[in-house]
Amino acid sequence: MKKTNKMFFLNPIKPVKKQAILLFLILASSVLSNAQTLERLKEAAEKGGYGIIFTQIEETGITEMCPAFKGLVNIDLTSNFDSVLNSHPLNLPECKDALMRIARNLVNKGVQYRKDQKLYEAYLCYRFAFPLVTKYLDAEGCRILSGNIFIVQNLLRSETSSPQKQWVNTTIQKDAKAILNRYSDAMVAFSEGESFQADKVFLCYTRLLNLSGNWVKGRRVMLDKLNKDETPNDYLMHGLLENLTQVSLEEILFQNEKIQFDSLMDAYRKLRPSLALFNNNSVLQELYKYVIAHFEYLRGITMRSTGILALESSYALNEYYNLFCRDLSFLMLNGNDLQGAIEMLEKAKSGVFTELMAKGHLNNRIKINQYDQQSYSYLQTVNGGEIYDLVTSDRSSFLMYSHYFDDLEVWFITSKGKVFHQSLEGSNHYINDLIDKTNFNNKMLSSKEGYIEGRGVKMPNVNSNNSLEPYSDLFKAIIPENIWEVLKADSANNLIIIPDENLHFVPFAALKTPEGKYLLEEKQISYWHSFTFGQLLKSSSQVFDVQKSIKNGTGSFKISVLGNPDFNGIYPSSVDGKVINLKLAPLPGTEKEIKYLGEKFHITPLMKMDVRSDLLFKDQALDILHLATHGYTNIDKVLQSFVAFSDGPVYASEMYESPGKLKSKMVVLSACQTGLGKVTNDNPVGLTQAFLVAGANSVISSLWSVSDDATFTLMKLFYDGISEGKNLAEALRFAQLELMKSQATSNPFYWSAFKVTGNVTNPRD
């Protein structure tokens, strides 16, 4: 069979009168190679409009696909593609199959170019196929092709400016408008049917609206459809996610502009429970990544700003960012992609708090990216390989939690890097009830009367035998039997817990194992907020290396001890919507504690009027800052939580706005309830987190109103331990086990309130 590949471009002014065939048939018959096809498409695009390529063919056999093509001449697609497709003979029914084969071929070529990051070449293929699939209302073709064009448009956002980028963006919008002008009525009529095919065409229609720049109408018709449809499906979720990639900062943050965004989020929450049932899991995952990237970009804008308003705005944006990350993690987990699920969960857990902390610790994980030709900073969270290296080098095992609706996801990673996972379905309400029972008076210290009581004033009843039962019940509720068997058999003595939501306030050390022991008796325990959190601290210049000091023969630390201040300042806080001046009770019981530390480390402890707020951020670098004063956590206005000094408070907001300003490696908050805070979408906001953002590498804090005498004993033993070379987790465990041995302080109330958050071991040792 004889054939030639000589190509001609139709000149609209001087048409070439030869037997002709559309480029699509050439592609379908594989007459041209991929390279030749791309060159012809580029040349056609340069002609403006769609262009038309002719070839002289002798006995090719191509016309057997559709005899009506024989004799087709002088077609000018540059002027009106639509008129060509509706003209005889292309409009004949017998031509449809041949044309659709051509369109699919073009789409496949375009997909391959897109995967190779050749976005210009990809769209050249897509744009020749798009009018074909919309003309024939090929539902699957409409869905796939419009989705691929949407992906190209999003990928272009992160590319640097170029003539090709400008051409593709402009042409996408122009082409979408042209197709809508001709086929919108037919698409709307078809999409009103009750079938998946109708939903596919509807999705294509809304995408065309969005691609044409008419996002307002695209959102409106999408929301109207969602309000009418009682059976949500993944095609509607596709459209909804795509709309979310286009919301502006003003629409989210400004009350008078956020009506439509709120409607989008209401619709999204309506669809969320059906995520596990949706098909095309990989497509949904791709769309989620674009939504997450968009909200990361928006949050990056607010994170560049300073002040309390910018901080609150960042947390508001992070609420949505966190939600989308967790949903994508769930999709990956549902698809048995454990590594992908952990990596996405890591992004969810490493939000505003961790990014602020990274800035404070001058870490190189803060990156600059391009998005819509604007630069923004973001936190590069650790990936699966980095998590493996972190776990195996740290000689620790990890117990991590995440919530999804009413389910609790439990992850255990052995010190060898092996991952175990179990989902505890419908358990959250039961677990929250148990948490309330395992904490002793851990509700926020009452300030309704404007008075904060001293350490150890209010003591719960800890003599009842029933007081220990919830510790056994909670262990069984949050540590499944199969994970416990692996955990207790792991060779690592150090267990790092990465909690979630209210689990941040659980005294894990006091949980009773099935063998009747406290978990602390089996493992030394410390806490991280995420793997990225741990990585930041390990690479920080602020690492408190107690063992290195001992090995070097120094045997001493740079330590500052402050306690028992005179509370003569003004301590305003917002309580029940009213700003009042809090009155703080004296703390005479702390004087014995700080005098002991002064003698032990041969320093002069600061007391009374010498406990000034300017000492917190003094330039002198310290290994340890010990604060025995009031710490107040305001659960309603959590950034108004404060640490009290003699001349007034230092608020959490001041520390959040001063990343890295604190020069103390370890901070000990020897006070009541300093480990509590407000549960947010990524991590709690409280005093512990404030000190970590400000620059501390480790924080010792408490979960409830502690006993004065027991706290003095615990602190004495803790500092004895680190002086002997124990790391922070070992020293705290040593002190807690000693209190546990005494009948007078054996109840968990006396020894399990304090926890260590942050870096406690050093892999160099």
Side-chain angles (χ1 to χ4, degrees):
M1 188 171 291
K2 185 179 178 182
K3 58 185 176 182
T4 62
N5 288 336
K6 188 175 181 182
M7 308 298 293
F8 299 88
F9 282 93
L10 179 64
N11 186 323
I13 301 175
K14 297 179 180 180
V16 179
K17 295 184 177 181
K18 290 183 178 289
Q19 186 179 15
I21 191 161
L22 288 172
L23 169 65
F24 309 115
L25 286 180
I26 301 299
L27 295 174
S29 63
S30 300
V31 171
L32 294 177
S33 67
N34 282 345
Q36 290 173 311
T37 297
L38 180 59
E39 287 305 311
R40 300 301 177 261
L41 288 172
K42 287 180 179 178
E43 292 174 39
E46 290 170 0
K47 291 291 182 179
Y50 279 88
I52 178 63
I53 301 175
F54 281 77
T55 183
Q56 186 174 359
I57 298 176
E58 300 176 12
E59 299 179 2
T60 61
I62 294 175
T63 54
E64 294 175 5
M65 295 171 58
C66 181
F69 286 123
K70 195 170 185 179
L72 189 63
V73 294
N74 291 346
I75 301 176
D76 179 10
L77 296 187
T78 61
S79 59
N80 194 334
F81 189 92
D82 205 46
S83 64
V84 175
L85 293 182
N86 286 307
S87 66
H88 180 80
L90 288 182
N91 203 36
L92 297 178
E94 57 265 28
C95 295
K96 177 181 177 181
D97 289 343
L99 287 171
M100 292 313 300
R101 285 176 58 188
I102 295 162
R104 293 188 187 102
N105 238 353
L106 282 166
V107 173
N108 290 337
K109 290 180 186 294
V111 169
Q112 188 56 55
Y113 282 127
R114 176 178 64 77
K115 290 180 178 178
D116 294 337
Q117 296 299 307
K118 296 179 179 179
L119 305 182
Y120 171 66
E121 293 83 349
Y123 188 62
L124 286 175
C125 292
Y126 295 154
R127 73 185 302 254
F128 278 87
F130 210 177
L132 291 171
V133 297
T134 50
K135 168 185 171 57
Y136 293 112
L137 291 177
D138 178 67
E140 185 65 7
C142 285
R143 181 189 69 81
I144 293 175
L145 189 50
S146 61
N148 275 284
I149 294 175
F150 170 82
I151 290 172
V152 166
Q153 189 182 59
N154 273 272
L155 289 173
L156 282 169
R157 289 180 169 184
S158 58
E159 286 206 346
T160 56
S161 182
S162 68
Q164 286 188 346
K165 175 178 178 177
Q166 184 178 0
W167 181 88
V168 174
N169 277 327
T170 302
T171 308
I172 285 177
Q173 188 174 70
K174 182 183 70 174
D175 291 349
K177 288 179 179 179
I179 294 172
L180 280 172
N181 286 339
R182 177 62 181 86
Y183 297 114
S184 60
D185 291 343
M187 295 179 78
V188 170
F190 188 92
S191 64
E192 288 177 352
E194 296 183 2
S195 68
F196 284 146
Q197 302 304 314
D199 287 338
K200 291 176 183 178
V201 173
F202 172 78
L203 176 60
C204 179
Y205 172 62
T206 58
R207 280 173 173 163
L208 280 167
L209 288 171
N210 298 338
L211 292 171
S212 70
N214 196 349
W215 283 95
V216 174
K217 185 175 180 180
R219 290 182 196 172
R220 188 177 68 247
V221 297
M222 173 61 67
L223 290 171
D224 289 345
K225 176 78 169 177
L226 287 167
N227 290 333
K228 295 175 185 176
D229 201 322
E230 296 182 357
T231 310
N233 58 63
D234 56 344
Y235 305 127
L236 298 181
M237 178 63 97
H238 291 174
L240 187 55
L241 290 173
E242 289 163 13
N243 273 275
L244 286 168
T245 65
Q246 301 298 320
V247 296
S248 67
L249 198 60
E250 292 76 16
E251 287 179 287
I252 299 173
L253 298 179
F254 297 166
Q255 194 63 40
N256 60 337
E257 295 189 35
K258 68 193 302 275
I259 295 176
Q260 198 171 69
F261 174 72
D262 287 344
S263 297
L264 284 172
M265 288 307 302
D266 288 343
Y268 178 76
R269 293 185 180 97
K270 176 183 175 183
L271 290 177
R272 279 189 75 222
S274 303
L275 271 179
L277 305 177
F278 290 163
N279 296 319
N280 299 320
N281 192 287
S282 61
V283 177
L284 276 179
Q285 290 184 25
E286 191 84 5
L287 291 174
Y288 267 107
K289 290 176 183 177
Y290 294 132
V291 175
I292 290 166
H294 182 62
F295 277 79
E296 183 178 66
Y297 157 67
L298 295 177
R299 191 186 64 188
I301 295 174
T302 59
M303 291 290 287
R304 286 204 305 264
S305 303
T306 58
I308 191 68
L309 182 59
L311 185 59
E312 290 176 345
S313 297
S314 296
Y315 269 107
L317 285 162
N318 201 69
E319 177 183 349
Y320 306 110
Y321 174 83
N322 183 280
L323 178 68
F324 299 134
C325 287
R326 287 177 184 267
D327 284 351
L328 179 52
S329 177
F330 170 77
L331 280 175
M332 291 174 163
L333 186 61
N334 206 41
N336 295 317
D337 180 7
L338 260 65
Q339 177 170 320
I342 289 178
E343 289 179 347
M344 196 50 57
L345 185 60
E346 187 65 19
K347 291 178 77 70
K349 286 177 170 286
S350 303
V352 175
F353 158 69
T354 312
E355 184 167 339
L356 285 171
M357 208 183 77
K359 292 177 179 178
H361 289 260
L362 303 178
N363 193 274
N364 61 5
R365 299 199 75 89
I366 297 293
K367 305 295 182 181
I368 303 297
N369 200 0
Q370 288 288 125
Y371 193 86
D372 279 340
Q373 301 184 52
Q374 297 184 48
S375 62
Y376 72 101
S377 64
Y378 72 101
L379 175 67
Q380 185 181 48
T381 54
V382 294
N383 58 35
E386 290 175 303
I387 291 174
Y388 177 84
D389 292 341
L390 191 61
V391 169
T392 53
S393 65
D394 198 72
R395 302 189 297 276
S396 301
S397 58
F398 291 79
L399 185 61
M400 181 172 69
Y401 293 91
S402 61
H403 289 81
Y404 193 77
F405 288 105
D406 196 35
D407 300 341
L408 180 66
E409 308 295 333
V410 186
W411 308 77
F412 180 68
I413 305 176
T414 71
S415 55
K416 303 297 183 183
K418 190 172 182 179
V419 179
F420 295 84
H421 167 265
Q422 186 165 337
S423 179
L424 304 177
E425 297 181 0
S427 58
N428 283 344
H429 292 301
Y430 172 64
I431 290 171
N432 287 336
D433 288 341
L434 288 174
I435 291 174
D436 288 339
K437 296 176 182 177
T438 54
N439 282 320
F440 297 91
N441 189 31
N442 80 330
K443 304 301 181 186
M444 296 299 121
L445 290 174
S446 174
S447 60
K448 291 181 183 286
E449 308 300 325
Y451 186 76
I452 303 299
E453 294 169 327
R455 195 169 77 178
V457 172
K458 283 191 174 180
M459 302 289 288
N461 177 13
V462 295
N463 297 316
S464 171
N465 291 329
N466 294 330
S467 63
L468 298 181
E469 289 182 4
Y471 289 87
S472 297
D473 294 338
L474 185 55
F475 182 98
K476 296 173 185 176
I478 64 176
I479 304 181
E481 183 178 353
N482 62 323
I483 285 183
W484 169 238
E485 292 299 322
V486 181
L487 191 160
K488 69 179 180 180
D490 192 271
S491 59
N493 186 45
N494 190 41
L495 173 64
I496 297 177
I497 297 171
I498 303 177
D500 200 45
E501 296 186 4
N502 285 343
L503 294 180
H504 280 279
F505 312 132
V506 168
F508 277 83
L511 298 186
K512 296 277 279 187
T513 71
E515 293 79 13
K517 292 184 177 181
Y518 291 109
L519 183 58
L520 185 71
E521 296 179 87
E522 300 284 352
K523 303 285 182 179
Q524 67 182 38
I525 298 170
S526 59
Y527 298 84
W528 285 3
H529 288 310
S530 65
F531 286 105
T532 303
F533 168 90
Q535 180 64 41
L536 292 175
L537 294 179
K538 285 186 173 296
S539 59
S540 171
S541 60
Q542 288 274 72
V543 172
F544 173 49
D545 193 353
V546 56
Q547 293 172 327
K548 187 175 181 182
S549 296
I550 298 297
K551 289 177 181 178
N552 289 343
T554 61
S556 61
F557 315 104
K558 293 179 180 178
I559 180 171
S560 180
V561 179
L562 296 79
N564 192 24
D566 286 333
F567 297 112
N568 297 323
I570 299 175
Y571 306 90
S573 188
S574 176
V575 178
D576 292 339
K578 299 178 181 179
V579 177
I580 63 174
N581 182 32
L582 298 177
K583 296 179 181 179
L584 309 182
L587 298 171
T590 64
E591 190 166 323
K592 179 172 67 171
E593 179 181 312
I594 62 173
K595 284 183 175 179
Y596 167 79
L597 294 177
E599 293 175 2
K600 183 176 184 63
F601 293 106
H602 310 292
I603 60 170
T604 301
L606 300 177
M607 297 180 288
K608 305 297 183 178
M609 294 300 295
D610 291 331
V611 184
R612 304 186 316 274
S613 58
D614 63 327
L615 297 175
L616 185 61
F617 293 129
K618 66 180 181 179
D619 291 333
Q620 180 186 358
L622 295 172
D623 291 318
I624 304 170
L625 173 63
H626 185 97
L627 293 172
T629 180
H630 276 300
Y632 171 62
T633 301
N634 188 328
I635 199 64
D636 296 320
K637 297 287 185 179
V638 71
L639 291 174
Q640 292 184 18
S641 303
F642 62 77
V643 175
F645 292 82
S646 62
D647 56 340
V650 173
Y651 289 100
S653 60
E654 296 177 60
M655 289 185 270
Y656 271 90
E657 293 173 33
S658 307
K661 192 175 180 181
L662 181 69
K663 304 303 180 184
S664 303
K665 298 175 183 177
M666 181 179 78
V667 175
V668 178
L669 299 175
S670 182
C672 299
Q673 301 183 336
T674 49
L676 296 182
K678 182 178 181 179
V679 174
T680 65
N681 31 64
D682 61 351
N683 282 294
V685 178
L687 292 172
T688 297
Q689 291 71 34
F691 276 96
L692 288 164
V693 167
N697 206 263
S698 307
V699 176
I700 308 291
S701 56
S702 65
L703 292 173
W704 52 76
S705 184
V706 293
S707 160
D708 218 7
D709 291 339
T711 299
F712 167 71
T713 303
L714 183 138
M715 288 298 168
K716 177 179 179 297
L717 292 167
F718 170 72
Y719 281 104
D720 287 347
I722 63 171
S723 295
E724 294 168 3
K726 292 181 172 65
N727 67 46
L728 307 187
E730 288 176 315
L732 184 59
R733 183 187 187 217
F734 164 73
Q736 290 173 325
L737 289 175
E738 288 299 308
L739 263 68
M740 190 190 303
K741 293 176 183 177
S742 170
Q743 185 174 359
T745 55
S746 62
N747 190 284
F749 166 76
Y750 294 104
W751 55 264
S752 67
F754 284 94
K755 56 188 286 191
V756 54
T757 303
N759 186 45
V760 296
T761 60
N762 196 302
R764 293 172 295 178
D765 298 325

